[in-house]
Amino acid sequence: AALNDGLRSQVSAALKEGRVTPTELCQRCLALIKSTKFLNAYITVAEETALKQAEEAEERYKRGQPLGILDGIPIAVKDNFNTAGIETTCASNMLKGYISPYNATVVQKLLDQGAVLLGKTNLDEFAMGSGSTDGVFGPVRNPWSYSKQYKEKSVPKSHSEDEESNWVITGGSSGGSAAAVSSFTCFAALGSDTGGSTRNPAAHCGVVGLKPTYGLISRHGLIPLVNSMDVPGILTRCVDDAAVLLGSLAGHDPKDSTTIQDGFKPFELPNLTDVSKLSIGIPKEYHAPGLSSEILALWSKAADLFKNAGAKVVEVSLPHTPYSIVCYHVLCTAEVASNMARFDGLEYGHRSAMKDSTESMYAATRREGFNDVVRGRILSGNYFLLKQNYEKYFVKAQKVRRLIANDFVKVFRSGVDILLTPTTLSDAAPYTEFIQEDNRTRSAQDDILTQAANMAGLPAINVPTALSERGLPVGLQFIGRSFQEKQLLTVAKWFEKQVQFPVIQLEEVKRHDTDVFQHQKSASFS
Amino acid sequence: QKVSVEVLEHLEHLALVDFRDAEGVERLQKAIQFADQLHEVNTDGVEPMDSVLEDRWCLYLREDNVTEGNCTKELLENAREKVEEYFVAPPGNIPLPKLEERETFLEGS
């Protein structure tokens, strides 16, 4: 096996050769979850079932019959995916105590491959937010807040203040999943991505975050936010691992009629050495207001990297980019208004004690169950869907959506293969600073670079690129053509190899434990 | 241009979610203002887009065969109030109290 084999292949080999067992892996991850509890990345840890799954995997390895690369691999799942027998809360009071009666298709697929489900990760309530700060179980802390790299760069105001007030957010809404992967408590995690919810926390936590093409991976069992944009997201520590996960999750699902029927063939990523045939597009509108000069410089450096390696790098224009957030705002709230209607207290979830009438029970249940962000979006959505507003707002937004999607079509038709953009406007903000602005404002600001890919249904991936001045991760985003994940990931893998993003140095993680977890040298790009 | 009280009441009735306070109403006002930016875009001759997969039309009808079901027990498991195989709801057809009365009405929750 070569040095640049994905972590997955290294672990897979170790498992096959018996150098490590699935139960050892599972126990190490569970112990790490306990020792990193302060991150608040997990809402539910399914310790018993995980150990049982690990034991079953171990039996299979002993017989020399593992189910595949994922057999025995500990993974975590965002708490908006249904997991049979395990509480699924969406970080909301509305679903506290709700035990899913079934597995989401993606969860089932992972379990069928022998993956070990460690637990459910924390998020913004109902995946609405860009900080993973607005859930009922509290905010998720970015593991990098506790890294040597960050601590070295931060000036403690006073001894008592330092760690407690300095910690930075993970980004969101899949912050728990990103933090889990970043802190080595699992090898991969599922997130969801509607406006950037997988890529944003991936960028802030220094992990790979893949948003697949809409229609490639089943949404059955993913509690929906915006049916026309939601996709399950994949978070891993390297691009190869993301390809492995994609291979086991993609494909038509009869239970999700929005999955395409074309057969999907899992692929291994080639080691690209010649990029001279590639055309990289740099969309000028992604030089958005508020983009930090640091990230701008990194973006530019990345473009040069491709140019110097022989690729064609061109500036392109996606003129409707500035309207994608407004468009999203209308379409999202409208679909949310519809999707949240199912929560009435009758069949599942929270139920108010109010019993004067059905309607008042519904109203009280929803008042008690939803936080302000969710309720605000429901109300806005209903406003845009009113008969007198339908054409003016909802249909108008659908038309603008087409214009946004067409912008991408035009650019890809002109010969560009992949677009290169920043993922976030800056590195992770300290929590105390982040909560100064309300959720909607923050989401509008933070989603600006990721949202359009959801509008157009295109695949996009965050690749950790370098550390910022503050010692925090910064990632760059690649956006590809519909259903061309292989090309997208191949380019991402090439880039990942060039930048050699440093491994997080977490004091909590014992040195000898990371042998199995490390896979990249620490020379850095910046 | 402020949203009228009638519309606010209507919205609460449709959404079965209340604004709770002036801040909630203010939030809606801001949301509308924000959305108004859409009107800057010229969409003459542009068709609304329902799905990014419109070219690959994958919404299909399957054969009307029963492939799963008989999971009454599982379905009832998560309900708070049930009797035999029924979900139990409070009496229906009782309109929600008007806005002014509702504040005190929902205070209990």
Side-chain angles (χ1 to χ4, degrees):
Chain A
L3 268 177
N4 46 6
D5 271 359
L7 171 61
R8 292 269 37 279
S9 317
Q10 288 174 330
V11 184
S12 185
L15 283 168
K16 283 204 200 119
E17 291 159 25
R19 284 183 274 127
V20 70
T21 67
T23 41
E24 273 167 6
L25 275 185
C26 184
Q27 280 159 351
R28 268 192 233 171
C29 287
L30 288 171
L32 211 47
I33 291 174
K34 285 201 181 92
S35 64
T36 55
K37 207 152 179 228
F38 53 90
L39 294 177
N40 202 19
Y42 288 80
I43 293 176
T44 302
V45 180
E47 190 162 335
E48 273 179 47
T49 52
L51 284 168
K52 186 158 166 286
Q53 285 160 9
E55 277 161 23
E56 287 166 9
E58 196 155 315
E59 282 306 306
R60 291 190 288 268
Y61 275 102
K62 280 202 187 123
R63 292 198 305 267
Q65 291 169 338
L67 293 166
I69 299 181
L70 288 179
D71 204 347
I73 300 299
I75 51 130
V77 170
K78 186 176 182 183
D79 207 16
N80 60 352
F81 286 91
N82 276 285
T83 43
I86 298 174
E87 193 180 2
T88 299
T89 66
C90 292
S92 174
N93 280 319
M94 188 57 92
L95 287 177
K96 254 193 190 165
Y98 168 70
I99 311 284
S100 308
Y102 71 108
N103 281 320
T105 297
V106 287
V107 173
Q108 191 60 55
K109 284 190 169 188
L110 288 175
L111 293 174
D112 288 344
Q113 308 254 337
V116 172
L117 177 50
L118 292 172
K120 310 297 290 298
T121 57
N122 204 352
L123 58 155
D124 282 303
E125 183 161 338
F126 279 111
M128 297 187 201
S130 59
S132 303
T133 52
D134 272 327
V136 292
F137 298 102
V140 185
R141 300 188 180 198
N142 191 327
W144 284 85
S145 313
Y146 304 94
S147 69
K148 192 157 165 236
Q149 290 103 327
Y150 178 62
K151 285 184 185 171
E152 275 172 358
K153 297 291 180 90
S154 60
V155 182
K157 298 177 191 101
S158 76
H159 184 69
S160 55
E161 262 192 33
D162 83 358
E163 263 173 36
E164 273 318 291
S165 59
N166 244 3
W167 63 269
V168 297
I169 58 164
T170 50
S173 61
S174 311
S177 283
V181 173
S182 170
S183 58
F184 303 110
T185 59
C186 61
F187 286 84
L190 289 185
S192 66
D193 196 310
T194 307
S197 289
T198 289
R199 294 160 284 156
N200 175 295
H204 287 317
C205 294
V207 298
V208 171
L210 170 64
K211 173 213 166 297
T213 310
Y214 179 86
L216 187 61
I217 300 188
S218 172
R219 291 180 300 109
H220 175 75
L222 166 61
I223 295 170
L225 184 62
V226 183
N227 302 68
S228 69
M229 294 184 217
D230 288 350
V231 293
I234 292 169
L235 293 136
T236 55
R237 286 194 283 276
C238 67
V239 177
D240 259 332
D241 290 358
V244 172
L245 266 285
L246 183 68
S248 50
L249 296 177
H252 177 64
D253 180 16
K255 293 182 180 171
D256 177 358
S257 59
T258 59
T259 51
I260 55 156
Q261 304 208 280
D262 304 3
F264 173 81
K265 276 199 224 79
F267 48 79
E268 261 189 58
L269 294 177
N271 280 317
L272 189 64
T273 45
D274 175 21
V275 296
S276 60
K277 296 196 187 63
L278 263 184
S279 172
I280 308 285
I282 310 286
K284 62 182 188 196
E285 292 82 2
Y286 279 65
H287 185 350
L291 185 67
S292 81
S293 49
E294 227 182 358
I295 297 194
L296 181 61
L298 230 48
W299 185 21
S300 180
K301 204 165 167 196
D304 287 342
L305 191 74
F306 278 101
K307 210 180 295 173
N308 295 335
K312 182 168 167 223
V313 178
V314 289
E315 189 188 74
V316 297
S317 174
L318 298 167
H320 295 92
T321 304
Y323 294 102
S324 98
I325 285 295
V326 190
C327 184
Y328 176 65
H329 166 71
V330 173
L331 294 178
C332 173
T333 50
E335 293 210 37
V336 161
S338 170
N339 278 321
M340 297 294 130
R342 72 193 69 197
F343 299 106
D344 56 19
L346 211 49
E347 302 93 340
Y348 45 73
H350 174 70
R351 177 174 177 143
S352 169
M354 167 71 65
K355 44 175 73 173
D356 290 11
S357 72
T358 310
E359 290 223 343
S360 66
M361 186 279 276
Y362 288 171
T365 294
R366 291 157 70 80
R367 173 183 238 240
E368 292 160 20
F370 291 139
N371 73 2
D372 284 351
V373 176
V374 178
R375 284 158 61 254
R377 290 200 195 188
I378 294 172
L379 288 162
S380 302
N382 275 292
Y383 180 82
F384 298 131
L385 291 171
L386 287 175
K387 225 188 305 195
Q388 67 258 37
N389 295 330
Y390 198 80
E391 280 287 329
K392 237 174 70 168
Y393 290 98
F394 184 69
V395 176
K396 179 76 178 180
Q398 287 190 306
K399 292 180 180 180
V400 174
R401 181 176 187 175
R402 181 178 297 283
L403 292 175
I404 293 169
N406 284 347
D407 279 355
F408 284 101
V409 170
K410 282 191 200 118
V411 162
F412 285 128
R413 236 176 236 161
S414 74
V416 166
D417 298 306
I418 304 271
L419 296 168
L420 168 63
T421 79
T423 314
T424 53
L425 294 175
S426 67
D427 58 5
Y431 175 71
T432 47
E433 196 184 291
F434 185 79
I435 52 171
Q436 303 278 333
E437 288 279 8
D438 74 271
N439 184 293
R440 193 182 59 76
T441 313
R442 278 297 179 200
S443 299
Q445 292 164 348
D446 300 333
D447 288 348
I448 220 161
L449 302 168
T450 47
Q451 211 299 302
N454 297 86
M455 274 296 167
L458 299 171
I461 185 170
N462 171 76
V463 180
T465 306
L467 293 185
S468 69
E469 285 281 302
R470 291 162 66 215
L472 295 171
V474 167
L476 290 177
Q477 172 177 238
F478 293 92
I479 304 175
R481 297 166 188 241
S482 262
F483 302 104
Q484 301 303 312
E485 270 80 351
K486 186 170 181 187
Q487 182 181 52
L488 177 69
L489 290 171
T490 301
V491 175
K493 181 176 168 177
W494 180 87
F495 183 70
E496 172 189 64
K497 192 160 164 213
Q498 307 307 307
V499 303
Q500 298 278 292
F501 182 78
V503 178
I504 183 176
Q505 284 158 41
L506 271 179
E507 269 114 41
E508 276 76 7
V509 176
K510 296 197 188 71
R511 278 296 110 203
H512 71 262
D513 263 347
T514 63
D515 283 341
V516 195
F517 304 106
Q518 279 190 359
H519 63 89
Q520 282 181 318
K521 306 262 185 292
S522 32
S524 69
F525 182 52
S526 59
Chain B
Q1 197 187 349
K2 293 246 158 195
V3 183
S4 72
V5 178
E6 283 109 20
V7 173
L8 289 176
E9 264 194 30
H10 187 44
L11 281 178
E12 287 195 332
H13 181 79
L14 284 175
L16 282 181
V17 147
D18 60 310
F19 288 96
R20 214 196 284 266
D21 52 23
E23 201 190 313
V25 178
E26 182 59 28
R27 206 178 285 133
L28 175 69
Q29 290 287 156
K30 287 212 184 103
I32 300 169
Q33 227 177 334
F34 189 63
D36 282 333
Q37 291 172 69
L38 272 181
H39 304 118
E40 292 166 19
V41 188
N42 182 347
T43 52
D44 291 343
V46 181
E47 282 297 300
M49 181 182 237
D50 287 320
S51 167
V52 295
L53 297 172
E54 58 188 10
D55 290 336
R56 292 175 166 264
W57 201 241
C58 55
L59 276 180
Y60 56 92
L61 291 176
R62 65 181 176 97
E63 287 304 307
D64 189 12
N65 297 320
V66 175
T67 51
E68 56 181 351
N70 287 325
C71 48
T72 315
K73 188 166 156 284
E74 286 88 338
L75 290 177
L76 287 172
E77 208 127 24
N78 280 298
R80 299 285 165 96
E81 289 187 41
K82 50 205 173 205
V83 169
E84 292 177 19
E85 293 189 346
Y86 293 87
F87 294 111
V88 179
N93 274 328
I94 300 172
L96 270 180
K98 290 238 181 306
L99 202 65
E100 317 83 63
E101 296 151 31
R102 208 178 314 150
E103 262 315 303
T104 42
F105 183 69
L106 286 177
E107 213 136 85
S109 66

